[in-house]
Amino acid sequence: MRSTNINLLATLVLSACVSHNASLAFTPPSRGHIAARPAALIVTSLQIKNNARKSSRAPLLSRNAVATPETAELITEDMETQITYLENGDAVVCARGVCVLADEEVATEELCYLDEDAEGNLVGMTCVESSSSNEEVNALSFEYLWPRALLLGCSLLYGTNFPLGRIMNDALPASATTSGRMLLAFGVLLPFLFKLKPHLGKQAVIGGSFCALGYLSQSIALVDTPAATVAFLGALVVIITPLVSYFVDKAKLGWKDAPQTWIAAILCLMGVAALELGGDGGLGDIGMGDFWSIMQAVGFGVGFFFTEKLMAKEPDQALSLTAVQVGMTAFWGSVWALLDGTGMLGGFGGDHGAWLLDETLRAQYAMPGVFLSGLGDDEVLRTVAIAAVWTGVVTTAINRVGETTGLGKVSSSEASVLLATEPLWAALFAGLFLGESMGPQAILGGALIVAACLTTSVKPQTLQNLFGDGEELSEDGSRSVNSAGLSVQYLSSSQARPSSSTALGSKTE
């Protein structure tokens, strides 16, 4: 009886602390946005679970929650699903299949944390408005400009891959150039591979194989399709990844949950129609190059679905996972080159015959001949060698290092906007390097697809308010599905303060 009374008393004390944010709460010291973090109750040895079910004043928490200065973990429960809102200081920034640790000192809009279920599986993210978002920012300061300029520069460099890929494919077999540049890129990123955590290996290989499908499809498409068209159709990845999330994770993609995905899908369809049906030939203008351009988006979209989840949970593994992606592309590219070079694929991916069986051609096309031939007098081979080194070392390996460096210093929405300019740069360089011109239909189609990419970075509540469907945010904030297929909950800084009971954790139905 004495023990029961003590337990009941402990239950009542804990209930009072929950409702009044009493002195048992621990709030981390003020540092940037941290002052706005939800407090977590320190409950160490109180055995209240059984008695709480019998008491009419049972606490709102479903199990003991522990907070220390190093980590604060809180578990809340709804009727069906338990979600853990982990706020241990490791905020992340995610954009286009890449997640890195956020630099909390310079983040100006929001900081995102992971949502996990009771078994530790990643189920989404909670993005909290940064406490510095309302502070005046000097947009002309070096600290503000350099990460954004770096990401824009990375997008520009990615855009050069398309016209240079077309140049390489005009001179050499697509399989040879793709495998060559990816093997070179893998050699640069190899040191990061040894830092990969073993438990990530299987999922990383799966995601890397789908990314390889994206790269190989892109290379095949560039054999006979304008570089700008390949780039614009590749941007369809912004609707592929949410669709994968819908079928795999049963993510909610209704208008109320993800209006930006619906708008992006409509814009993409209109853009594709303008690109493919705007010519005099109508449906007759659609060829296999267009099919492989869309397969490029499918490969990258599914790959981003796998890799962004891994990087979100292990943001310090971004470059290691990139090394796996490039390594798998180099592997499958080499398999393609072997089959193509021995004539087993016929004219698929170009008509260069069994080039591996010809000693002269093998010396020029295979590694390391594809690079060494650039040292000779043949201007075409020299251009190809330079393009292979550029697309392998600079725009694939070094560019990813730059992207991960700048990404952590901006918000996910800013990064998505800056990286969405890639097809525009591709179209510009295609005009400069290849003399490609875009008609009115192509310009309209490209603009619609880029608009779709920009739309995916808009928060759902903003779009609902724009179309008159917005409702006042509940205490749980608004939840949507981002362009990488992750369920994201948005909380304002006021919702994330200790006075808001729902800020103690994130909930999904």
Side-chain angles (χ1 to χ4, degrees):
M1 176 67 69
R2 179 182 178 86
S3 174
T4 301
N5 291 337
I6 291 177
N7 286 339
L8 182 57
L9 177 61
T11 301
L12 296 176
V13 171
L14 179 59
S15 299
C17 292
V18 170
S19 60
H20 292 92
N21 295 311
S23 59
L24 284 177
F26 165 77
T27 303
S30 176
R31 174 179 173 267
H33 76 289
I34 300 180
R37 291 182 180 177
L41 298 175
I42 304 176
V43 185
T44 55
S45 60
L46 298 178
Q47 303 299 319
I48 64 170
K49 188 172 183 180
N50 292 331
N51 287 331
R53 293 176 178 173
K54 302 176 183 178
S55 172
S56 60
R57 296 187 179 183
L60 299 176
L61 302 181
S62 62
R63 58 170 71 176
N64 291 351
V66 180
T68 67
E70 290 76 27
T71 178
E73 177 178 330
L74 189 64
I75 300 177
T76 62
E77 182 179 31
D78 60 15
M79 294 302 293
E80 298 180 1
T81 307
Q82 271 191 348
I83 301 298
T84 304
Y85 176 16
L86 296 176
E87 199 168 301
N88 56 6
D90 292 336
V92 296
V93 178
C94 299
R96 213 177 68 157
V98 180
C99 287
V100 300
L101 287 171
D103 187 339
E104 301 174 14
E105 296 291 344
V106 299
T108 58
E109 289 190 11
E110 62 188 19
L111 290 160
C112 299
Y113 302 90
L114 305 183
D115 294 338
E116 296 181 344
D117 61 18
E119 281 117 23
N121 299 312
L122 178 64
V123 295
M125 300 170 63
T126 293
C127 295
V128 181
E129 182 182 18
S130 172
S131 61
S132 61
S133 61
N134 295 323
E135 298 176 2
E136 186 175 348
V137 177
N138 184 3
L140 298 179
S141 66
F142 177 77
E143 184 182 60
Y144 180 87
L145 287 175
W146 81 259
R148 291 158 179 82
L150 179 60
L151 287 176
L152 186 62
C154 289
S155 183
L156 182 152
L157 292 177
Y158 283 133
T160 65
N161 284 335
F162 296 91
L164 292 180
R166 183 67 188 268
I167 290 174
M168 290 187 291
N169 289 352
D170 285 344
L172 270 66
S175 60
T177 57
T178 303
S179 60
R181 76 182 184 96
M182 286 300 170
L183 284 169
L184 190 61
F186 181 60
V188 176
L189 294 170
L190 185 60
F192 296 105
L193 182 65
F194 297 114
K195 299 179 181 180
L196 181 71
K197 296 179 180 179
H199 69 276
L200 300 178
K202 182 179 179 180
Q203 293 267 359
V205 168
I206 295 174
S209 295
F210 277 105
C211 285
L213 173 62
Y215 278 114
L216 270 58
S217 298
Q218 179 187 105
S219 185
I220 297 171
L222 287 170
V223 171
D224 58 7
T225 307
T229 300
V230 176
F232 284 125
L233 291 179
L236 295 178
V237 67
V238 297
I239 61 172
I240 297 295
T241 308
L243 283 176
V244 175
S245 180
Y246 173 78
F247 287 108
V248 176
D249 288 343
K250 309 301 180 185
K252 294 183 177 180
L253 287 180
W255 170 259
K256 182 178 180 181
D257 303 293
Q260 77 281 17
T261 301
W262 282 92
I263 297 174
I266 294 171
L267 292 173
C268 279
L269 289 175
M270 295 171 59
V272 171
L275 282 172
E276 300 300 328
L277 306 179
D280 296 334
L283 287 172
D285 289 340
I286 300 176
M288 287 303 296
D290 301 296
F291 167 79
W292 287 110
S293 297
I294 295 175
M295 286 303 298
Q296 162 199 205
V298 172
F300 284 131
V302 179
F304 289 173
F305 172 79
F306 283 100
T307 57
E308 183 158 326
K309 279 192 171 184
L310 293 178
M311 290 186 188
K313 290 199 69 172
E314 306 280 355
D316 60 332
Q317 294 284 288
L319 290 175
S320 297
L321 290 168
T322 298
V324 176
Q325 290 177 353
V326 175
M328 294 308 300
T329 305
F331 169 75
W332 290 114
S334 298
V335 172
W336 177 26
L338 177 63
L339 297 176
D340 180 46
T342 54
M344 298 179 65
L345 300 180
F348 177 77
D351 188 17
H352 293 270
W355 51 270
L356 273 177
L357 304 181
D358 185 297
E359 185 176 351
T360 302
L361 294 179
R362 183 173 66 248
Q364 291 181 343
Y365 297 168
M367 289 281 286
V370 66
F371 301 110
L372 296 179
S373 59
L375 301 176
D377 297 329
D378 192 317
E379 185 176 348
V380 173
L381 292 179
R382 187 184 305 118
T383 301
V384 169
I386 294 173
V389 172
W390 177 266
T391 56
V393 176
V394 178
T395 64
T396 300
I398 296 178
N399 212 32
R400 181 53 66 89
V401 176
E403 183 180 352
T404 56
T405 301
L407 189 59
K409 301 182 183 298
V410 301
S411 67
S412 296
S413 57
E414 282 184 291
S416 297
V417 169
L418 292 170
L419 294 174
T421 61
E422 178 184 325
L424 297 178
W425 296 115
L428 174 63
F429 288 119
L432 292 175
F433 297 161
L434 302 173
E436 290 184 3
S437 60
M438 298 177 61
Q441 295 89 351
I443 293 175
L444 175 62
L448 288 170
I449 291 176
V450 172
C453 296
L454 298 176
T455 301
T456 60
S457 66
V458 180
K459 293 179 181 179
Q461 188 69 16
T462 302
L463 293 174
Q464 290 168 351
N465 290 336
L466 179 65
F467 288 95
D469 297 328
E471 299 177 358
E472 185 177 351
L473 283 178
S474 65
E475 292 183 340
D476 289 331
S478 62
R479 180 170 288 277
S480 181
V481 177
N482 69 1
S483 59
L486 285 174
S487 175
V488 181
Q489 177 180 236
Y490 299 98
L491 295 177
S492 67
S493 57
S494 61
Q495 288 172 310
R497 287 171 185 157
S499 60
S500 173
S501 61
T502 56
L504 294 174
S506 58
K507 301 177 183 179
T508 59
E509 294 182 358

